[in-house]
Amino acid sequence: MKKILLAFSVLFALLLAFVSCASNKGARHVAHNETQERMFWRIDGTDKNGNPATVYIQGTIHLGDERLYPLAPTVVDAWVNADRIVGEISTADWAVFETEMSNKMIQSQINADGKNVLHNITSTQRDALFSVLEKEAAEQLAVYEPWVTIAAIETAVYLNSGLSVEKGMDGQFMLLAYQQGKDMDGLDSLETQLDVLQFGNYDEQLVLLKDMLDDIAQPEEINKYTNELYEAYLAGDVQKLTKLMESSRKEAEAKNTLYAAYYKAIFTERNKAWAEKIKAWIFEGGTTFIFAGCGHFVGDDSVFMYLKKNGALP
């Protein structure tokens, strides 16, 4: 099971990055052209009044280093001139994140119904857990459903990768929007992202956690995979990025059929919904700048594939 949880991590990486940095009818005659910039696409369409409408999509990665910057001038121009800025979740949803997360944590402890994560993993897995989380912190999290421990591990593993969430593109765009007073629309609702975070029942979450801990027992493999993803992103190598993610997914699904449902929740269902929103923004008109995880825009199950299916792309 090759680091699939790391590839799919969404909300906590974005939250950590932001906190650290901040202290309808279909479109017609649409062209989709990949530009020379890294994972940057432009969609040209026609709005409801027959006027040109443009959507820029900056596929991002949730962690990075100085090699990501400066952004290409065309990316900066697209951002500056956009009528609409879109992230994975909206400014309004970020404003209530802390409250909603607190409520989810309270409910998670109730749902755990006295179960303790540490009592349901092997001694080897426990050692792996303590290698990335302080023993006291792990013990405090263990009384919640396993997704809480998974989220904490994901954040810790990112920090151990040698790359920085503060330098990830998502956090930088979110900080820029905050500094410039730009409100963001969201591709997802906060509830959607929290549902992804809490995927599965207790036993299914325990499967995900155990697999993650087994991976953590081989940290060199995790770091290698994370850096391979990053290097492919830096090179703008869509084919390699797709191959790495597909290989991870297939390996996971071969080990446990649970991962097919997990992939569907994280990618397929959200990609379909994102495509419908993008189609609607083209119809509404103006210029839209979207930044979101690049994994949603590559491969056979990508947002672009669903844009073709819904008629927004030829």
Side-chain angles (χ1 to χ4, degrees), residues 187-188 267-278 306:
L187 289 162
D188 286 329
F267 281 109
T268 303
E269 293 177 356
R270 292 169 68 213
N271 288 356
K272 287 180 182 178
W274 290 12
E276 289 300 321
K277 284 198 169 186
I278 293 170
Y306 291 109

Side-chain angles (χ1 to χ4, degrees), residues 171-215:
Q172 293 296 318
F173 279 125
M174 290 163 64
L175 178 61
L176 195 58
Y178 174 78
Q179 291 173 334
Q180 295 178 351
K182 293 177 180 281
D183 284 337
M184 298 184 299
D185 286 341
L187 289 162
D188 286 329
S189 67
L190 177 57
E191 191 63 29
T192 295
Q193 291 228 344
L194 290 174
D195 285 346
V196 169
L197 194 65
Q198 301 168 95
F199 172 85
N201 58 34
Y202 192 100
D203 290 339
E204 290 169 334
Q205 291 171 19
L206 198 59
V207 169
L208 301 180
L209 174 60
K210 288 179 176 180
D211 282 347
M212 175 179 264
L213 292 174
D214 289 342
D215 279 347

Side-chain angles (χ1 to χ4, degrees), residues 50-87:
N51 297 317
T54 303
V55 174
Y56 294 99
I57 297 174
Q58 175 62 71
T60 63
I61 193 161
H62 302 322
L63 67 171
D65 59 20
E66 67 281 353
R67 288 177 291 170
L68 285 176
Y69 307 100
L71 297 173
T74 46
V75 175
V76 175
D77 287 346
W79 170 277
V80 169
N81 293 308
D83 303 304
R84 181 185 297 108
I85 300 294
V86 181

Side-chain angles (χ1 to χ4, degrees), residues 15-34:
L15 175 68
L16 182 61
F18 182 59
V19 170
S20 299
C21 289
S23 233
N24 307 280
K25 290 181 181 179
R28 293 171 296 154
H29 310 300
V30 181
H32 164 223
N33 301 303
E34 183 172 347

Side-chain angles (χ1 to χ4, degrees), residues 10-304:
V10 183
L11 191 59
F12 265 75
L14 293 178
L15 175 68
L16 182 61
F18 182 59
V19 170
S20 299
C21 289
S23 233
N24 307 280
K25 290 181 181 179
R28 293 171 296 154
H29 310 300
V30 181
H32 164 223
N33 301 303
E34 183 172 347
T35 69
Q36 63 181 2
E37 294 79 8
R38 181 189 298 123
M39 303 291 172
F40 186 62
W41 296 274
R42 172 175 174 160
I43 298 172
D44 290 311
T46 306
D47 70 12
K48 58 188 175 183
N49 297 315
N51 297 317
T54 303
V55 174
Y56 294 99
I57 297 174
Q58 175 62 71
T60 63
I61 193 161
H62 302 322
L63 67 171
D65 59 20
E66 67 281 353
R67 288 177 291 170
L68 285 176
Y69 307 100
L71 297 173
T74 46
V75 175
V76 175
D77 287 346
W79 170 277
V80 169
N81 293 308
D83 303 304
R84 181 185 297 108
I85 300 294
V86 181
E88 291 200 21
I89 62 174
S90 69
T91 301
D93 277 340
W94 276 116
V96 299
F97 170 81
E98 189 174 349
T99 298
E100 290 300 312
M101 192 64 194
S102 178
N103 292 338
K104 296 294 183 184
M105 292 285 287
I106 292 169
Q107 187 60 50
S108 180
Q109 187 170 12
I110 294 171
N111 293 346
D113 194 26
K115 298 186 185 76
N116 189 300
V117 164
L118 295 177
H119 299 163
N120 290 283
I121 59 178
T122 67
S123 59
T124 301
Q125 290 166 343
R126 197 176 301 119
D127 289 342
L129 176 59
F130 295 157
S131 74
V132 292
L133 295 180
E134 293 289 339
K135 184 172 182 290
E136 183 179 356
E139 289 172 343
Q140 291 174 349
L141 297 177
V143 300
Y144 297 95
E145 294 171 295
W147 69 263
V148 177
T149 299
I150 289 171
I153 291 172
E154 287 179 334
T155 301
V157 171
Y158 268 126
L159 293 175
N160 292 335
S161 69
L163 298 169
S164 166
V165 290
E166 290 89 345
K167 291 183 180 178
M169 294 180 72
D170 306 88
Q172 293 296 318
F173 279 125
M174 290 163 64
L175 178 61
L176 195 58
Y178 174 78
Q179 291 173 334
Q180 295 178 351
K182 293 177 180 281
D183 284 337
M184 298 184 299
D185 286 341
L187 289 162
D188 286 329
S189 67
L190 177 57
E191 191 63 29
T192 295
Q193 291 228 344
L194 290 174
D195 285 346
V196 169
L197 194 65
Q198 301 168 95
F199 172 85
N201 58 34
Y202 192 100
D203 290 339
E204 290 169 334
Q205 291 171 19
L206 198 59
V207 169
L208 301 180
L209 174 60
K210 288 179 176 180
D211 282 347
M212 175 179 264
L213 292 174
D214 289 342
D215 279 347
I216 286 172
Q218 304 177 62
E220 67 285 351
E221 288 298 313
I222 294 178
N223 291 337
K224 178 183 176 183
Y225 179 72
T226 303
N227 280 280
E228 283 180 343
L229 283 174
Y230 185 61
E231 293 298 329
Y233 180 86
L234 281 178
D237 192 337
V238 172
Q239 185 176 2
K240 184 174 182 180
L241 194 69
T242 302
K243 184 177 179 180
L244 285 166
M245 295 184 68
E246 281 296 298
S247 173
S248 178
R249 179 179 67 84
K250 289 177 181 178
E251 188 175 340
E253 290 179 0
K255 180 173 183 179
N256 193 311
T257 56
L258 172 64
Y259 286 103
Y262 191 46
Y263 179 91
K264 182 178 179 181
I266 291 175
F267 281 109
T268 303
E269 293 177 356
R270 292 169 68 213
N271 288 356
K272 287 180 182 178
W274 290 12
E276 289 300 321
K277 284 198 169 186
I278 293 170
K279 179 179 179 180
W281 286 320
I282 295 171
F283 182 70
E284 289 175 21
T287 301
T288 301
F289 185 101
I290 297 171
F291 64 96
C294 62
H296 293 276
F297 302 100
V298 301
D300 294 335
D301 197 36
S302 72
V303 172
F304 292 129

